[in-house]
Amino acid sequence: MHEMSLASALMEEIDRISRQNNILRIDEVELRIGVLKQVVPQVMEEAFRAVSLGTLAEGAILRQVEIGARALCEDCGMEFVPAPDDFLCPVCGKFSRNLLEGDEILLGSLTCVT
Amino acid sequence: MKINVVKNVLQANDIVAAKNRQVFQEAGVLAVNLISSPGSGKTTLLEKTIPALADQGPSIVIVGDLQTTRDAERVADSAFQVTQINTGMSCHLYANQIAESLPGLELAQAYFLFIENVGNLVCPGEFDLGENLKVILLSIPEGDDKVAKYPTVFRAADMVLLTKIDLLGAFSYDLARVENDLRKLNPTAPLVPFSATTGQGMGEWLGWLAEQRKTKVGAQARFIHE
Ligand SMILES: Nc1nc2c(ncn2[C@@H]2O[C@H](COP(=O)(O)OP(=O)(O)O)[C@@H](O)[C@H]2O)c(=O)[nH]1
Ligand SMILES: [Mg+2]
Ligand SMILES: [Zn+2]
């Protein structure tokens, strides 16, 4: 359900960059999303389609690149893959706040006509 | 042409949130973002909490509501100031909406600022408002499986209030499961069984708020304004 909120934030960022760069049309938007964001690609696709209607990005391809989750155990130094609902180190069982990646949502690039 | 951007989509919100946080700090007020599903007891918690905090200091409330002013009216008598943000179709508050409502508030006169977010356990977790603390309310009727289902907000929580604990007997509910699920995501947030009806957990909640105010805002900040 939060795809709509995220797509709106994405669209605002695209607008800002379009103005800065005098973009006339956008053909492709690359979005990099950490798995921990629990975004459903099809839902994101629909949300993007909705928020981009009537904008320079209407009809653009939304290329979604998934970023895996990685965490480093503060206790034993083990690098592991946390699950969205489980951040315990599989080796020592300690909780790790040391998330290396997997929680981000980044506008990667815009393919466009200026 | 390809323009490489690589920018956090939520950055615009985060920048405004950081400014809000600065304003709260300078005013010496502790800002608390209340997050839960609709009906978990946020407004009821405020109705009980604000009068009980009166001997510590006044509270300001910002209510995010789809379109009614009902929640704002419920706390209007006990709060020092109340302001309502109509969120319309949006399912969460933005840092911008908070920033826009701040000029109308006498923050420096208040000890606590409570922000009742829109009823939703997902989106409010993504949008920083500049609060000092995120408090998640999870009511017993919602079931004991919700921590694992909505991990993001529970990971970000500074406190989890298990509300409507007076109804525990009416449901088949595994308290240990909630605690266990929470500790996989968040080792430090206190998990407090709470009831606005019986008062259970009220002492711990109020004590925690006082303690947090002391550590997060500091004694000196208040001194300037007195
Ligand atoms: N039994 C019981 N009911 C509660 C408690 N707290 C709130 N409620 C009821 O739950 C309903 C929704 O509460 P409300 O505060 O409006 O929830 P909000 O949508 O999160 O603001 C109301 O009918 C409250 O009376 C509680 O501790 N115990
Ligand atoms: Mg309410
Ligand atoms: Zn470890």
Side-chain angles (χ1 to χ4, degrees), chain B residues 80-150:
Chain B
F80 169 55
Q81 283 182 309
V82 183
T83 188
Q84 153 96 22
I85 297 174
N86 284 326
T87 52
M89 295 302 285
S90 174
C91 53
H92 61 91
L93 286 168
Y94 292 90
N96 239 335
Q97 294 171 309
I98 301 298
E100 282 163 11
S101 67
L102 294 183
L105 300 172
E106 296 171 73
L107 288 178
Q109 305 294 318
Y111 274 45
F112 299 96
L113 169 66
F114 293 102
I115 302 170
E116 178 174 341
N117 217 313
V118 183
N120 179 340
L121 266 183
V122 186
C123 307
E126 309 273 11
F127 291 81
D128 186 7
L129 303 179
E131 71 276 355
N132 299 102
L133 301 162
K134 281 186 173 63
V135 172
I136 316 301
L137 288 75
L138 179 64
S139 68
I140 295 300
E142 291 170 72
D144 56 15
D145 61 343
K146 294 304 177 289
V147 173
K149 264 194 174 163
Y150 301 99

Side-chain angles (χ1 to χ4, degrees), chain A residues 1-2 5 9-10 13 16-17 37-38 84-87 95 97 103 105-112 114, chain B residues 1-9 12 91-92 120 122-123 126-127 148 151 155 183-188:
Chain A
M1 75 188 298
H2 65 154
S5 306
L10 170 66
E13 202 53 56
R16 207 166 294 129
I17 292 161
K37 278 274 180 272
Q38 296 187 292
D85 63 352
D86 188 351
F87 278 63
F95 176 88
R97 283 197 193 279
D103 197 26
I105 175 152
L106 306 168
L107 171 55
S109 65
L110 293 176
T111 306
C112 56
T114 53
Chain B
M1 183 169 101
K2 186 167 169 178
I3 301 177
N4 282 312
V5 186
V6 195
K7 191 166 169 201
N8 179 3
V9 163
C91 53
H92 61 91
N120 179 340
V122 186
C123 307
E126 309 273 11
F127 291 81
R155 190 149 59 90
R183 294 310 164 219
K184 290 180 190 169
L185 291 164
N186 191 325
T188 49

Side-chain angles (χ1 to χ4, degrees), chain A residues 3 5 13 26 31 47 54:
Chain A
E3 285 81 358
S5 306
E13 202 53 56
I26 297 169
L31 183 64

Side-chain angles (χ1 to χ4, degrees), chain B:
Chain B
M1 183 169 101
K2 186 167 169 178
I3 301 177
N4 282 312
V5 186
V6 195
K7 191 166 169 201
N8 179 3
V9 163
L10 299 173
Q11 190 182 323
N13 183 77
D14 290 350
I15 289 170
V16 180
K19 283 189 195 141
N20 290 347
R21 191 166 283 118
Q22 183 74 31
V23 172
F24 301 149
Q25 183 67 36
E26 281 164 11
V29 68
L30 184 80
V32 181
N33 186 357
L34 299 174
I35 299 173
S36 81
S37 304
S40 302
K42 298 181 292 301
T43 311
T44 308
L45 175 70
L46 289 176
E47 286 174 305
K48 299 283 178 181
T49 302
I50 293 168
L53 285 175
D55 60 345
Q56 288 187 45
S59 298
I60 292 178
V61 180
I62 298 177
V63 181
D65 204 335
L66 298 184
Q67 49 162 306
T68 72
T69 56
R70 267 179 230 164
D71 286 359
E73 284 159 18
R74 283 168 61 188
V75 293
D77 284 344
S78 56
F80 169 55
Q81 283 182 309
V82 183
T83 188
Q84 153 96 22
I85 297 174
N86 284 326
T87 52
M89 295 302 285
S90 174
C91 53
H92 61 91
L93 286 168
Y94 292 90
N96 239 335
Q97 294 171 309
I98 301 298
E100 282 163 11
S101 67
L102 294 183
L105 300 172
E106 296 171 73
L107 288 178
Q109 305 294 318
Y111 274 45
F112 299 96
L113 169 66
F114 293 102
I115 302 170
E116 178 174 341
N117 217 313
V118 183
N120 179 340
L121 266 183
V122 186
C123 307
E126 309 273 11
F127 291 81
D128 186 7
L129 303 179
E131 71 276 355
N132 299 102
L133 301 162
K134 281 186 173 63
V135 172
I136 316 301
L137 288 75
L138 179 64
S139 68
I140 295 300
E142 291 170 72
D144 56 15
D145 61 343
K146 294 304 177 289
V147 173
K149 264 194 174 163
Y150 301 99
T152 308
V153 285
F154 288 100
R155 190 149 59 90
D158 294 292
M159 151 134 348
V160 178
L161 289 175
L162 216 46
T163 57
K164 310 191 190 181
I165 197 74
D166 54 288
L167 300 177
L168 188 60
F171 296 87
S172 123
Y173 196 99
D174 185 356
L175 281 175
R177 177 180 186 187
V178 175
E179 170 96 44
N180 195 44
D181 284 353
L182 182 64
R183 294 310 164 219
K184 290 180 190 169
L185 291 164
N186 191 325
T188 49
L191 176 65
V192 178
F194 185 91
S195 169
T197 308
T198 67
Q200 186 182 339
M202 195 67 185
E204 193 175 341
W205 161 239
L206 296 174
W208 183 79
L209 283 174
E211 189 58 42
Q212 291 295 316
R213 188 166 185 285
K214 221 184 292 167
T215 54
K216 294 274 188 325
V217 178
Q220 310 94 312
R222 176 54 44 184
F223 220 63
I224 300 165
H225 301 287
E226 270 165 1

